[in-house]
Amino acid sequence: MPSAIYLDHHATTPVDPRVAALVMHTMTTAFGNANSTEHMYGEEAAHLVAQARREIGLLLDAHPNGVHFTSGASESIRMALAHAIDEHPERTVHIAVTTVEHRALLDAVATYEHTGRVIVHWLPVDEYARLDLAVLEHVCSQGVDLVCVMAANNEVGTIYPIEVVAHLATQAGAKILVDGTQAAGRVPLQSNAFGISYLIISAHKMYGPKGVGALIVPTHIDMHVTHEGTPNVPGIVGLGEACRLRRLEMGEDELQIAAKRDKLALLLQNTIQGIVINGDPENRLSHNLHFAVPDVPNDVVIARLRRYVALSSGSACMSGAQTGSHVLRAMRLSTAIQEGSLRLGLGKFTTDTEIEMAASYITDAITATRATLQAVRN
Ligand code: PLP
């Protein structure tokens, strides 16, 4: 059992024990097939799935009938893209995409681009990963079918003004796909009120189980689902319960997490010379602390910290591929900053003691790395 302090909550979160208890219940007691409603087992499972739909709808201002369960955000993204593109079988589809979307979306879009099915209009970001709304407005005015803007960035934590983005897209007659994987349960997201066409969520980013997520659409969008198969009742129930708890607790939780994040930032700023905090200082996920120590290679620091602090260089969902961060490149950060960047992600179970210990471990690792580099140079 690893004992390192876990500060990689962007990659995944531990399951809340209350969620785990309910998941366990649906695996061992309420284990019926939700499609087999001729008996009480199936009926109970169907009831639990319906309840999960309602909870997801309540957290995200969506109609329960517009909730389509998937295996996670990556599948939801592929489903949403396929649906938006299939709406125009007779012509090339124009899609506006930010340069900092998650790989799951960028790779899916690239596949359609290679086959000539879509033309991509890139939406650039500034050094804080912020979107230029004037550029978005201009791109929309050229005629796009779909706008893809994530609700919050998984590397630097920048939060996007989805309500405004959705308004601009809708005015231009475009649909809007919002990857809410990192933002759902942390910042308010209102599918109906904002006018979001496709909203993507994943349970394991909000203290729910892995392998379950949802694509949420307004009820007027027909996803042409015929037979969905046997629902993953434990996963769905876990997602629903995670959403219920986020709805009730996220306000207070996120304030406390932000206070701990700020304390950690201060401790590091006080002890590490030359540290730079990345991401939007004004609109950033409360648990995100992405920083760089220019000229101190992040892989060396991560290796030194391996037994003490679980942290990441950023793009964690890339199956260990060491290709650097497309997000930091899109932000046009210097190579020294890109190579010295580290991402910390706090969670609701992170304690003050862990924050203090992590600050000390990280400072020691960076000081030791600097000393080694200095010795090599001399
Ligand atoms: N989108 C974002 C913003 C993410 O952070 C991730 C995972 O890190 C994904 C999509 C993919 O999520 P999943 O693991 O549920 O497929």
Side-chain angles (χ1 to χ4, degrees):
M1 178 68 194
S3 58
I5 298 164
Y6 187 75
L7 291 181
D8 198 15
H9 286 80
H10 298 277
T12 195
T13 56
V15 177
D16 187 308
R18 294 167 293 179
V19 173
L22 210 60
V23 171
M24 184 68 157
H25 175 73
T26 58
M27 290 196 293
T28 53
T29 308
F31 58 82
N33 183 333
N35 290 337
S36 306
T37 48
E38 300 97 323
H39 52 69
M40 281 157 61
Y41 289 89
E43 229 170 48
E44 184 178 13
H47 165 75
L48 288 169
V49 169
Q51 198 169 307
R53 278 184 199 286
R54 278 196 297 277
E55 286 302 342
I56 295 164
L58 283 174
L59 176 69
L60 299 161
D61 181 31
H63 194 286
N65 293 347
V67 176
H68 299 271
F69 294 110
T70 64
S71 63
S74 301
E75 187 189 345
S76 301
I77 287 169
R78 289 193 295 271
M79 214 168 132
L81 279 175
H83 185 270
I85 292 165
D86 285 352
E87 290 225 297
H88 308 283
E90 74 296 348
R91 63 169 173 82
T92 309
V93 179
H94 289 258
I95 308 186
V97 185
T98 82
T99 47
V100 293
E101 293 299 308
H102 190 270
R103 277 276 156 221
L105 188 134
L106 294 179
D107 288 354
V109 167
T111 308
Y112 286 110
E113 200 183 16
H114 287 147
T115 61
R117 220 22 217 107
V118 306
I119 291 177
V120 180
H121 305 265
W122 293 106
L123 301 170
V125 296
D126 68 9
E127 72 272 29
Y128 296 125
R130 291 180 305 204
L131 199 58
D132 186 334
L133 290 174
V135 172
L136 172 66
E137 201 167 2
H138 174 72
V139 168
C140 283
S141 75
Q142 307 285 295
V144 292
D145 303 294
L146 179 70
V147 173
C148 303
V149 178
M150 64 199 332
N153 186 264
N154 52 294
E155 292 192 35
V156 294
T158 298
I159 297 171
Y160 295 94
I162 292 304
E163 191 170 6
V164 181
V165 171
H167 179 71
L168 290 175
T170 310
Q171 268 197 331
K175 287 207 160 68
I176 165 136
L177 186 164
V178 175
D179 179 352
T181 309
Q182 294 287 340
R186 293 202 163 88
V187 295
L189 271 181
Q190 292 179 267
S191 178
N192 280 338
F194 292 1
I196 300 172
S197 322
Y198 307 98
L199 176 60
I200 276 90
I201 62 166
S202 185
H204 76 101
K205 308 288 187 180
M206 47 165 137
Y207 312 103
K210 291 171 185 56
V212 60
L215 166 60
I216 298 160
V217 297
T219 44
H220 65 81
I221 293 187
D222 180 1
M223 290 304 296
H224 314 296
V225 176
T226 45
H227 180 69
E228 275 183 319
T230 304
N232 166 14
V233 180
I236 290 169
V237 165
L239 173 59
E241 181 64 359
C243 285
R244 188 182 75 83
L245 293 172
R246 292 291 72 216
R247 175 168 59 82
L248 299 176
E249 299 174 358
M250 84 174 182
E252 183 56 31
D253 278 357
E254 295 306 300
L255 282 178
Q256 289 193 14
I257 292 171
K260 287 187 185 122
R261 185 268 315 269
D262 293 344
K263 176 177 166 180
L264 180 53
L266 203 61
L267 288 170
L268 296 176
Q269 281 168 321
N270 285 341
T271 50
I272 303 169
Q273 219 188 357
I275 188 172
V276 182
I277 309 285
N278 297 320
D280 187 349
E282 311 271 303
N283 285 305
R284 200 147 43 100
L285 289 171
S286 55
H287 67 313
N288 178 280
L289 179 54
H290 193 288
F291 66 93
V293 188
D295 297 319
V296 176
N298 52 14
D299 52 344
V300 179
V301 178
I302 290 171
R304 275 190 196 276
L305 285 167
R306 197 168 169 74
R307 287 174 49 213
Y308 309 102
V309 183
L311 77 172
S312 162
S313 61
S315 37
C317 297
M318 294 180 58
S319 327
Q322 294 296 307
T323 55
S325 159
H326 69 282
V327 173
L328 302 187
R329 277 200 300 276
M331 292 162 71
R332 296 179 197 281
L333 300 184
S334 69
T335 310
I337 289 199
Q338 288 187 39
E339 290 177 358
S341 278
L342 293 162
R343 182 188 68 180
L344 301 175
L346 284 66
K348 65 181 271 144
F349 303 115
T350 307
T351 65
D352 277 311
T353 309
E354 286 180 317
I355 291 299
E356 283 152 23
M357 285 171 66
S360 161
Y361 284 134
I362 294 167
T363 302
D364 288 352
I366 288 170
T367 307
T369 308
R370 273 186 164 148
T372 310
L373 289 171
Q374 193 60 41
V376 171
R377 278 189 204 118
N378 288 340

